[in-house]
Amino acid sequence: MTDIQREAMAYDVVIVGAGPAGLSAAIRLKQLDPDLSVVVLEKGSEVGAHILSGAVLDPCGLDALIPDWRERGAPITVPVREDNFHFLTEAGSVRIPNWPMPRLMSNHGAYIVSMGNVCRWMAGQAEELGVEIFPGMACSSLVYGDQGEVKGVVAGEFGRLADGTPGPAYEPGMELHGKYVLLGEGVRGSLTKEVISRFDLGRGHCPQKFGIGMKEIWEIDPAKHREGTVTHTMGWPLGSSAGGGSFIYHIDNNQVYVGFVVHLNYANPYLSPYMEFQRFKHHPMVAELLAGGKRVAYGARAISEGGWQSIPTLVAPGVALLGCAAGLVNVPRIKGNHNAMLSGKAAAEAAHAAIAAVRSGDTLTAYETEVRNGAIGKDLKKVRNVKPLWSRYGLTASLMLGGLDMWTNDLFGASLLGTLKHGKSDAASTGEARDFARIAYPKPDGILSFDRLTNVAFSFTNHEESQPPHLKLADPALPVAVNLPRFAEPAQRYCPAGVYEVVEADGAGPRFVVNFQNCVHCKTCDIKDPLQNITWTTPQGGDGPNYPNM
């Protein structure tokens, strides 16, 4: 429908996403000029509802933004006290000593946090400064100006029926216009994808690479709890099948964050990242820790892993990309929140300077320069070759060569390898089923491991079922006609929430079913589908997971 009439509201800056990047931008804008009008639009039911991160936080970003965050009562109270690295075999583990690790890999001075709670606190800081924050307001489309610049967003559209037509309770939403629009949607956001495509921001950069990160929160036996302990593992159960590893973080209140990351450039279409995670918890080291405990929350999200080489051009007329939307994760450190905060701060400073100079709707080149030449660029350039080495040569080579490369970058500011390029996209990396054997995963026992639908209940996900599915198939015939015979339809396995099924009933042949109600908004399908036939879009505002303390 193109004839919908919407009211419009004008702001100085419109920010999409109440994550660490968007909230940092909002706070910094009001620090610089209390009279600026700033709005933050968040698709989750509340700030933090869609935030999922490990997370060990490097506080450098928050130090730069709010130096007195400790005095202000930030929920950042568990310093890292012990740092462990383990290489797992099926029955045992080898502790990797800390001393050969590059200095940048140390978690000294970092904190174990719930980023959802950190974002809730940051939202309070922003509101005290006069920022308007509207949760439950999904941004469904961009608004363009007369010169083709990004002028604003459409937010708050509700009440479409399953066929896309307006229902009896239809609300058209509003257009929110800004002199600049800052996109902090997180990984693979739908508006970010549109901006990158429309303005060709990927030209001259490597394709973005991704991983899928899954996380459970466990309450464990107090006798086994070691507050402040950080453990990372590599090796089993993935072996040579895929890149990735795990994290186990001991937060307070006898809780641990148990997480597993699988790089999405794996070839075997029979591999299930979710089932690899569940199998991991049966390793003796992990099973002993979790025995007698209970899982209290679950979630999943994609992670940008391309690093320095894959950062697109970050600005176009009227718009800038922040945080994970820009791909600013430091993969070896498993950290991106500090860079998200720094990017929000830098974008705010560029937008403030432009508005002070009576500009609007142009390109914030100062922001691009700061990201590439400032603290974020320095952080990411040091580790730029680790991911390409892992993808090309596997775990062992990446540990040795990647470690050496990080040492030379850290000590001398240069790499013997230069800057390695990433190969094809994660979707194109998927191999054909005929070249691989099926993987027989153990059945979840309901104690340490769980089926997907049971775990999705612990993400507290909810979608209004009468709305149009937010997972769009460009060609509904392709999953059965092409993906099933060629790739054994991998959507059945790469989705960590059981959204996609191939079902047969009444002799009618296979049918592809999309259970969009289960979606936890990880966006893996948008990334990994070998035909790029699935597009993730925003459902109506407030729908999706409702993470409590992720």
Side-chain angles (χ1 to χ4, degrees), residues 12 101 185 194 275 288 293 318 535:
D12 289 311
M101 297 282 181
E185 297 178 287
E194 180 178 333
M275 292 307 298
E288 191 280 330
T535 297

Side-chain angles (χ1 to χ4, degrees), residues 17 66 72 167 192-193 220 241 251 301 315 391-392 421:
I66 308 175
R72 289 175 174 266
T192 301
K193 277 184 65 178
I220 65 168
S241 299
I251 190 72
R301 61 162 289 183
V315 290
S391 298
R392 293 185 193 185
K421 302 295 184 184

Side-chain angles (χ1 to χ4, degrees), residues 531-545:
L531 303 180
Q532 290 293 272
N533 189 46
I534 302 174
T535 297
W536 184 94
T537 63
T538 53
Q540 67 182 19
D543 286 4

